[in-house]
Amino acid sequence: MHASKAIPKQVLVGQNASPPAGATVKLSTTDLNNLMQALSIDVVALTELLVPRGHRVQFGTIDVPGIHYNLCGVGRMSINGGPEMPLRPHLLIIVPPNTPFMIEVGGGKGPPKLISRDCWTHQDGILRVAVPNEQPEIVQICGFFNAFFGQSVRLFGDLREPVIEQFEPADKIDLKLREAIDELLQQEVGVGAMTGSLLKQIVVSLVRRSLRSSRRWTERFSILADKQVTRAFADMVARPGAAHSVQSLAHSAGLSRSAFMARFSDIFGRSPMVILRDLRMRQAAIDLTTTTMSIDVVAQNAGYESRSSFVRAFRKAFERDPSDYRQMAKDGKARKGI
């Protein structure tokens, strides 16, 4: 499997807080646009599952969420030992992190046979599970990924139940996943950026579908469930280099300073200024790897008035100086923890 890129040493946020009583869960289009534009996708691995009749495949825990798209065929899927759900063409399921799952197809004599590890093959970061000389009934593509805001906030970090959406061929989800697989097989320059971009398109498609549904799965995420706090967070994401303060963010959220601090910390597990620093480091890393602006300008763009304070913060986040990070990016060796 394709190894995940290393990320800075900050602890990832696993948000589990529930929104406070009376909090509104509907987000504005502007806030969601800002969040989706800033969302970064890191593809950990892609898997192709081909399950014949009378067989099943079983996966243990994986510490990242997985997008499972059923290209064709009918069968059953059980997540974390729960009730079996029917699989049909163009059904998309997001399996939460650290959650085992099983897929099986009936039709054989006796219970379905477990596909052994001898039938698991790897090629250029793609895991393929198939039974030799057997025609598959289920064909499924799975993308395992991380979805980040900044360096430490994970969109799916607190997902506890699967997200299930029925798409149609016209939505072209299958084409995006096939293209991601082709990218990994070709291993050309920018493969990580391309595969991440393709999976991000799928996540955005899911958000759009959720907004049209009476049962919005976006409401399951604590970082999206508190409208007032999310408004301030979306502003931080959209303008990390602005002169934000706890007071200005509380004003943006329409809350008192103490209420904002308490609700923000409950959701993110960290203070607003710590999260803002992470977002600023993400902005700086992007500027260093995609522009030729000077270190001083990069620092100002990330909200730092002095070069020395910026360099200290960057070194703490990435364990190297900004100039070294830029040079390693040119050499194709920088850690893409952004």
Side-chain angles (χ1 to χ4, degrees):
M1 298 173 71
H2 175 60
S4 172
K5 301 291 189 299
I7 61 175
K9 60 185 179 181
Q10 283 87 346
V11 177
L12 296 174
V13 176
Q15 306 94 349
N16 292 304
S18 299
T24 306
V25 296
K26 185 177 180 180
L27 299 178
S28 72
T29 300
T30 299
D31 290 341
L32 276 173
N33 277 337
N34 288 337
L35 292 172
M36 290 300 101
Q37 286 177 11
L39 186 67
S40 296
I41 302 291
D42 177 24
V43 179
V44 176
L46 291 174
T47 301
E48 189 175 26
L49 304 179
L50 298 94
V51 186
R53 291 183 180 274
H55 288 79
R56 65 185 173 93
V57 61
Q58 195 166 309
F59 277 74
T61 59
I62 302 172
D63 63 356
V64 295
I67 288 178
H68 300 257
Y69 191 77
N70 212 56
L71 293 175
C72 62
V74 295
R76 300 178 293 273
M77 185 172 186
S78 174
I79 299 174
N80 202 24
E84 294 179 347
M85 68 179 74
L87 291 176
R88 52 189 177 274
H90 306 291
L91 184 70
L92 189 149
I93 303 169
I94 294 186
V95 175
N98 298 305
T99 305
F101 65 92
M102 179 273 296
I103 295 171
E104 68 177 19
V105 179
K109 296 180 179 179
K113 300 176 183 177
L114 178 65
I115 300 177
S116 71
R117 291 296 182 109
D118 294 338
C119 298
W120 295 30
T121 58
H122 292 80
Q123 180 183 1
D124 294 323
I126 298 171
L127 171 64
R128 191 170 189 266
V129 179
V131 180
N133 304 318
E134 291 277 1
Q135 181 69 26
E137 166 65 20
I138 287 284
V139 177
Q140 188 176 106
I141 295 179
C142 313
F144 298 95
F145 66 101
N146 272 313
F148 291 96
F149 296 110
Q151 302 169 25
S152 61
V153 179
R154 295 193 299 183
L155 175 60
F156 294 91
D158 65 344
L159 185 64
R160 297 293 177 264
E161 298 178 0
V163 173
I164 304 171
E165 288 287 350
Q166 180 65 55
F167 285 87
E168 302 299 331
D171 295 309
K172 300 181 179 180
I173 301 294
D174 55 336
L175 297 182
K176 293 180 177 66
L177 287 167
R178 285 292 187 193
E179 190 174 348
I181 283 182
D182 289 342
E183 278 290 333
L184 277 181
L185 288 174
Q186 293 170 15
Q187 288 293 306
E188 293 187 5
V189 173
V191 59
M194 282 295 293
T195 53
S197 173
L198 290 164
L199 257 67
K200 181 173 179 176
Q201 292 178 48
I202 296 172
V203 172
V204 172
S205 296
L206 275 167
V207 171
R208 289 176 175 175
R209 178 64 61 92
S210 174
L211 295 178
R212 295 195 298 266
S213 172
S214 60
R215 298 176 61 188
R216 295 187 175 195
W217 61 264
T218 50
E219 297 172 4
R220 301 183 193 177
F221 302 100
S222 58
I223 66 172
L224 302 179
D226 187 326
K227 176 182 176 181
Q228 291 171 284
V229 171
T230 301
R231 183 188 303 133
F233 177 64
D235 190 23
M236 294 162 63
V237 165
R239 302 184 305 124
H244 297 295
S245 66
V246 173
Q247 190 61 47
S248 69
L249 292 170
H251 179 76
S252 174
L255 296 169
S256 69
R257 188 182 190 280
S258 58
F260 173 71
M261 282 289 291
R263 281 162 61 167
F264 192 100
S265 298
D266 282 346
I267 292 171
F268 292 92
R270 292 180 171 196
S271 72
M273 292 299 101
V274 170
I275 295 297
L276 179 62
R277 183 193 64 199
D278 291 348
L279 294 171
R280 287 175 168 174
M281 290 299 99
R282 172 188 181 273
Q283 180 64 54
I286 291 174
D287 288 343
L288 288 168
T289 55
T290 62
T291 75
T292 58
M293 63 178 63
S294 69
I295 301 298
D296 288 337
V297 175
V298 170
Q300 293 173 8
N301 201 36
Y304 288 83
E305 294 183 357
S306 79
R307 176 179 176 134
S308 60
S309 61
F310 165 68
V311 170
R312 283 196 301 271
F314 194 91
R315 188 185 296 130
K316 183 177 181 180
F318 291 95
E319 299 179 324
R320 57 177 55 93
D321 289 337
S323 56
D324 293 337
Y325 187 95
R326 169 174 275 170
Q327 186 59 50
M328 293 185 74
K330 290 181 179 179
D331 296 339
K333 298 176 182 178
R335 292 189 300 178
K336 300 295 193 304
I338 56 175

